[in-house]
Amino acid sequence: MPDSQVRNAGSREPTKVLLVDDHALFRKGMTAMFACRPSFEVVGEASDGFEALEKARRLRPDLILMDVHMPGCNGMQATKLIKREMPEVKVVMLTVSDEDEYLFEAVKYGAQGYLVKTLDPREMFGLLDDLSRGEAAISRSMAARIIAEFSRRFRREHKPQISGGASRCPLTHREMEVLIFVTRGATNKEIAGELGITENTVKNHLRNILEKLHLENRVQVAAYALREGLVRPT
């Protein structure tokens, strides 16, 4: 690791992580990997959703890595319960398949990411690092699939609006520009480069977009934009 990264890692408190999976061997393996990353600290483990909720209340982690399929209370149900009580806690779902039907429900309940257990560790930590920069811990191809699925579900569940969505949109011109890039799966850094602004400015615009549209994460924002016709699908 370069010296600059070592200094940065030591300049802030490590991200407190709660691991939730019904397989003890997987949890221990994850704990061993995190031990090599000074920017993360595993503060606890849980084997089902109910235990995850109890541990989250007591340990107050910054990040929860949540298995989707568990007996008793699964990851989707646990995410809903935890985000209702502790909306500031980031939840990233873990599963063995990128075709998991529960993925969309989990994201709707506030999960900030979705990782397949077969990911290379370096890629996994890279996506987790993205969370601290306001990104979603989801690969670009997966984000596109999630957005498309949300858009299909919204169109199926809601009657189409008679008038154009853009005319009723409370967003500013700059926020609309940011929104367009979000629907294309662009990162904050890429958006900043395209618009000639800083990443912090992009984060501020995203925060305003979430507040104005009463949504929780950028995936929901992208789905909303496509559903309401604010942005045309690419």
Side-chain angles (χ1 to χ4, degrees), residues 22-104:
D22 58 327
H23 293 94
L25 188 62
F26 179 79
R27 297 197 307 270
K28 299 306 178 185
M30 291 289 289
T31 300
M33 283 197 300
F34 275 105
C36 302
R37 306 286 297 200
S39 57
F40 294 94
E41 177 189 3
V42 176
V43 295
E45 300 177 13
S47 59
D48 62 47
F50 290 126
E51 186 181 5
L53 178 59
E54 185 274 325
K55 291 282 182 73
R57 287 168 173 165
R58 181 159 53 87
L59 300 172
R60 293 290 170 172
D62 304 305
L63 169 65
I64 299 176
L65 293 183
M66 181 83 70
D67 188 25
V68 174
H69 298 286
M70 295 179 291
C73 176
N74 64 34
M76 182 183 67
Q77 296 164 330
T79 297
K80 182 178 181 180
L81 294 171
I82 290 170
K83 295 296 286 189
R84 183 183 297 166
E85 284 192 30
M86 294 160 275
E88 73 283 359
V89 176
K90 293 180 171 65
V91 179
V92 174
M93 310 307 296
L94 297 173
T95 187
V96 296
S97 171
D98 59 6
E99 298 293 331
D100 203 309
E101 61 180 308
Y102 291 114
L103 161 67
F104 308 104

Side-chain angles (χ1 to χ4, degrees), residues 68-69 74-77 79-80 91 93-95 97-115 138-154 156-157 216-217 219-221 223:
V68 174
H69 298 286
N74 64 34
M76 182 183 67
Q77 296 164 330
T79 297
K80 182 178 181 180
V91 179
M93 310 307 296
L94 297 173
T95 187
S97 171
D98 59 6
E99 298 293 331
D100 203 309
E101 61 180 308
Y102 291 114
L103 161 67
F104 308 104
E105 298 302 319
V107 172
K108 188 165 66 175
Y109 290 139
Q112 277 89 0
Y114 173 79
L115 300 178
I138 307 174
S139 67
R140 180 169 299 193
S141 60
M142 182 56 60
R145 198 170 73 81
I146 293 172
I147 291 169
E149 177 63 18
F150 266 118
S151 183
R152 283 193 293 270
R153 290 188 181 200
F154 280 134
R156 184 172 66 245
E157 296 170 5
E216 296 182 2
N217 56 58
V219 175
Q220 292 180 0
V221 164

